[in-house]
Amino acid sequence: MEKVRTAIGLMSGTSMDGIDVALLRTDGRAVVERGPFLGVPYDPAFRDRLKLALEQAKTITQREQRRGDLASIERELTLRHVVAVREFLAANALDAASIDVIGFHGQTVLHRPDEALTVQIGDGALLARETGISVAYDLRANDMVHGGQGAPLVPVYHAALAANLTNAALPVCFVNIGGISNLTYIGAHGVIVGYDSGPGNTLIDQWVETHAGVPFDQGGMIASEGRIIAELADRYLNSPFFAADKRRSLDRNDFPPPSGADAELADGARTLAYVAAASIIKSAGHLPVTPTLYIVCGGGRLNRVLMLDLRDIARRQGAQVISAEAAGFNGDSMEAEAWAYLAVRSLDGLPLTFPGTTGVRAPVSGGVVVKP
């Protein structure tokens, strides 16, 4: 019998809204026991620091480079993760000795798969020293060394969840709508296909922050007041990204936000919500078989307008769209849980990525493990 470990997953995604912390007991294979979850939001000042990091990272040519303020931002980011872990342990009456490993994603500041370059800031050794817990981090890099796109990494965890689904016939497609959206197709006979599907919340967030001074469109309220501008939507949906035979992973800069001349506030938010939904179904056209069920996680599932569009477009193909909660999962914690799962797989040298998920030449493990 494989060893079951207790792991914490830490995720700070492309939306840059905060740190997700989740507990998982797992053997990195079929055993998945989901535990508590905590979301720790970033304050506006630190979000501005992360935006600065994105700008300064554009000149990076080597993964280890920390130009400008990147080194100080990386340290601050790591110490905020330390605080998040301590808050999580205290809130759930846990102690550090009860945790076998932390899966630490860090913050992606640059992702250029065509150049085999991905940079996640976050000091795993510092996190291990401060928490007293072993840390597995930098989980994407080895995939790129072996010809992969470095993303997505969550599909192997989605496959473990799908194996425990009841009353759901394969194929099933998990959809994560974060800053960038991604799909995981779970087919019969262990077939896993995963890739980024297009812009998720990032465009919407950038639009409403610029034009309304709010970090995101809560519940799709701004979008609900607008109309879809077909010309603007088509500008995004006609991108070569959607037609290309080879699936590639995305950086948040691959789809720039509209200008103020393209739309007024509500129409822009409405159009970008539609783009986020339509791009998911458009990208699903590259899957081996059209799914009959989409299970949606990530912050985008809370945008009612986006979800209505997604359900409407999927229904025309005979598919159903449900939230992660309706499937018995937690749509907020799934990516953080995945990082806990991946950390355990990293400890055991199990594959994190596969030819069908990142385009890597053969299944490959990865990550750097540091002890406190």
Side-chain angles (χ1 to χ4, degrees):
M1 184 174 175
E2 308 297 344
K3 183 177 180 180
V4 176
R5 293 183 173 92
T6 301
I8 287 176
L10 300 174
M11 169 58 65
S12 177
T14 49
S15 294
M16 302 190 306
D17 51 359
I19 304 165
D20 293 337
V21 191
L23 187 77
L24 199 71
R25 279 181 46 76
T26 183
D27 62 354
R29 298 164 176 82
V31 176
V32 175
E33 299 171 11
R34 295 167 42 244
F37 166 76
L38 177 69
V40 181
Y42 290 141
D43 55 83
F46 186 64
R47 291 187 74 235
D48 287 342
R49 293 269 286 160
L50 291 178
K51 290 176 193 172
L52 176 64
L54 294 177
E55 285 301 313
Q56 296 190 345
K58 287 179 180 178
T59 61
I60 287 178
T61 56
Q62 303 291 327
R63 295 189 57 254
E64 300 78 18
Q65 291 173 343
R66 297 293 184 266
R67 292 179 171 169
D69 295 302
L70 278 176
S72 65
I73 295 171
E74 179 171 55
R75 179 175 175 80
E76 185 177 352
L77 175 94
T78 306
L79 293 176
R80 284 173 178 265
H81 280 71
V82 170
V83 172
V85 169
R86 289 173 178 163
E87 287 182 9
F88 180 81
L89 293 174
N92 295 287
L94 297 166
D95 59 57
S98 68
I99 309 299
D100 294 299
V101 67
I102 293 172
F104 180 29
H105 180 272
Q107 182 69 52
T108 299
V109 293
L110 187 73
H111 187 71
R112 292 181 181 156
D114 298 337
E115 302 170 21
L117 179 62
T118 187
V119 181
Q120 287 76 44
I121 57 171
D123 186 337
L126 175 60
L127 182 66
R129 285 198 305 272
E130 292 293 323
T131 60
I133 303 169
S134 294
V135 172
Y137 72 109
D138 204 13
L139 297 178
R140 298 186 187 276
N142 197 47
D143 175 79
M144 284 189 158
V145 170
H146 291 85
Q149 293 266 310
L153 265 65
V154 179
V156 69
Y157 180 59
H158 286 155
L161 293 179
N164 293 308
L165 274 175
T166 55
N167 303 320
L170 299 177
V172 167
C173 186
F174 284 83
V175 181
N176 176 58
I177 310 177
I180 301 294
S181 294
N182 53 67
L183 307 178
T184 301
Y185 169 94
I186 313 295
H189 311 299
V191 174
I192 308 175
V193 177
Y195 49 78
D196 286 355
S197 58
N201 300 318
T202 292
L203 286 177
I204 305 168
D205 293 349
Q206 289 174 324
W207 176 259
V208 299
E209 185 159 34
T210 299
H211 299 285
V214 293
F216 60 96
D217 183 9
Q218 187 165 9
M221 288 190 294
I222 297 173
S224 69
E225 300 291 326
R227 64 179 182 86
I228 297 170
I229 301 173
E231 181 183 0
L232 180 58
D234 289 344
R235 190 192 308 169
Y236 287 104
L237 295 171
N238 290 333
S239 164
F241 167 80
F242 296 107
D245 290 333
K246 182 182 178 182
R247 300 289 81 212
R248 60 181 295 272
S249 56
L250 291 168
D251 182 76
R252 59 179 277 135
N253 297 313
D254 286 332
F255 286 89
S259 73
D262 291 320
E264 61 82 43
L265 174 64
D267 290 351
R270 178 69 188 88
T271 303
L272 295 174
Y274 172 78
V275 167
S279 65
I280 289 165
I281 303 301
K282 192 159 189 173
S283 288
H286 294 275
L287 294 173
V289 177
T290 301
T292 55
L293 177 65
Y294 293 92
I295 300 173
V296 185
C297 59
R301 81 193 190 290
L302 303 176
N303 184 318
R304 292 188 295 274
V305 175
L306 194 168
M307 287 293 284
L308 284 170
D309 281 342
L310 184 58
R311 288 190 172 104
D312 181 52
I313 301 168
R315 188 166 51 242
R316 295 176 215 161
Q317 297 187 345
Q320 180 186 11
V321 174
I322 64 172
S323 69
E325 285 72 18
F329 306 128
N330 182 334
D332 288 326
S333 65
M334 196 177 289
E335 276 205 296
E337 291 168 13
W339 239 252
Y341 185 79
L342 291 166
V344 172
R345 289 183 70 86
S346 179
L347 287 180
D348 289 347
L350 295 169
L352 309 184
T353 55
F354 304 83
T357 61
T358 65
V360 69
R361 289 187 288 271
V364 65
S365 191
V368 176
V369 178
V370 287
K371 296 184 178 180

